[in-house]
Amino acid sequence: MSLESEISDLWQRYDAGDISAESASTDALDSLDAFLDALESGEVRAAEPRDGDWEANEWVKQGILLNFGLREIEAREYGDVAYHDVLPLRETGDLPERGSRNTPDGTVLRRGAYLGADCIMMSPSFVNIGAYVGDSTLVDSCDTVGSCAQIGADVKLGANTLIGGVLEPVEDAPVVVEDGVSLGAGCRVTSGFVVGENSIVAENTLLTPRIPVYDLVEEEILYGELPPERRAFTRFVESSVGDHDLFDGGAYKPAVVAMDVEATTLEGTEREEALRE
């Protein structure tokens, strides 16, 4: 039986109430461990591109949810800190052989997270279960990569960046940051937003499907995506609220403006290869 079949069978039993954390057998837990190993090796992913669109792998998200539903909370230790969770942290002994580094005192990879080759994780930062971080990507200080988020290769996540996670509903695609993207410090990307490859996003920009993206290249308004090779930043546009007795001068709402990437912008975001040698 394939791993997908094993997880799908466990999900049906769990959904029907026929199995729980108290009754889960050793075989069931072994299947869940094999599933987490497959996530950590990159063999399976929570979402993948198909015909130009990113689609969630429902069975993978089911497997992640099963790891919460079929495991008991246990007392664990991380350094000198005791914590209580259903999952341990990911083993990181494989990182040096692949050229990846995590700095001390606060880089946390949860079990079931994938970290590619030649990556750098600065402290403190956190990568959650089901997240995929591609080769040569920088996860900077105070960054969070949420559950199932898909981060491409050669990506720079600026300090204090939040990449949102999503587990439910299982058919929903997670946040995607494609290859070559540079996110400035303090950016927030949430609710399944897709950042197109080689785009450069200014500091403190919020990318979410509820905020419009004014693409000045194709002269259209988009929701939930930033096209490839764009320079994006936040601006405020007039709100439909208009004038109101409570304030003068009308109301404004946030929007994202997207333009062509300029050569000077690319120069300002060049990676320093010495960091990855």
Side-chain angles (χ1 to χ4, degrees):
M1 183 181 293
S2 69
L3 183 58
E4 181 177 352
S5 297
E6 291 179 25
I7 294 299
S8 296
D9 178 65
L10 279 175
W11 180 259
Q12 290 177 10
R13 293 167 58 196
Y14 175 73
D15 194 44
D18 296 332
I19 187 174
S20 66
E22 293 77 17
S23 64
S25 65
T26 300
D27 287 344
L29 295 178
D30 286 346
S31 293
L32 295 182
D33 284 334
F35 170 76
L36 292 175
D37 290 340
L39 281 174
E40 292 176 8
S41 69
E43 180 183 344
V44 299
R45 296 175 61 169
E48 294 177 279
R50 297 188 182 97
D51 299 324
D53 294 318
W54 283 85
E55 294 182 9
N57 289 322
E58 293 187 25
W59 76 271
V60 175
K61 296 179 74 175
Q62 290 170 350
I64 294 172
L65 290 169
L66 286 171
N67 271 280
F68 295 104
L70 297 183
R71 294 184 186 272
E72 301 275 13
I73 295 174
E74 296 183 31
R76 307 177 187 276
E77 289 191 1
Y78 176 66
D80 296 327
V81 177
Y83 70 101
H84 302 81
D85 198 359
V86 294
L87 288 173
L89 300 183
R90 183 192 187 284
E91 295 292 334
T92 57
D94 62 317
L95 299 188
E97 65 191 35
R98 293 185 293 111
S100 289
R101 294 184 277 136
N102 60 322
T103 59
D105 296 330
T107 52
V108 179
L109 279 164
R110 204 174 190 194
R111 187 84 162 89
Y114 174 81
L115 188 68
D118 299 317
C119 291
I120 300 173
M121 279 188 68
M122 297 299 295
S123 176
S125 57
F126 176 72
V127 181
N128 207 350
I129 182 174
Y132 183 101
V133 179
D135 295 347
S136 300
T137 285
L138 169 65
V139 180
D140 211 339
S141 297
C142 302
D143 288 353
T144 297
V145 181
S147 55
C148 299
Q150 303 293 297
I151 310 297
D154 298 304
V155 169
K156 179 181 178 182
L157 303 181
N160 197 31
T161 291
L162 171 65
I163 305 298
V166 61
L167 279 173
E168 300 176 296
V170 292
E171 67 272 9
D172 271 14
V175 169
V176 175
V177 180
E178 295 184 337
D179 295 350
V181 168
S182 178
L183 297 180
C187 285
R188 302 289 186 268
V189 190
T190 68
S191 304
F193 196 98
V194 178
V195 185
E197 62 182 7
N198 299 319
S199 287
I200 298 171
V201 182
E203 293 87 346
N204 298 313
T205 300
L206 174 59
L207 298 175
T208 179
R210 293 174 295 281
I211 292 179
V213 175
Y214 290 82
D215 183 18
L216 303 188
V217 178
E218 296 295 334
E219 297 188 350
E220 58 183 348
I221 301 175
L222 305 171
Y223 288 87
E225 63 175 311
L226 177 66
E229 299 181 351
R230 295 295 193 269
R231 177 169 61 97
F233 47 89
T234 297
R235 287 293 183 268
F236 287 87
V237 298
E238 189 172 350
S239 169
S240 59
V241 173
D243 292 324
H244 198 282
D245 292 341
L246 292 178
F247 49 82
D248 296 325
Y252 294 85
K253 61 184 179 182
V256 174
V257 176
M259 305 173 65
D260 273 324
V261 174
E262 299 174 351
T264 54
T265 307
L266 289 173
E267 291 169 3
T269 59
E270 283 184 353
R271 297 186 320 135
E272 180 50 72
E273 296 298 335
L275 291 174
R276 292 162 178 80
E277 291 180 352

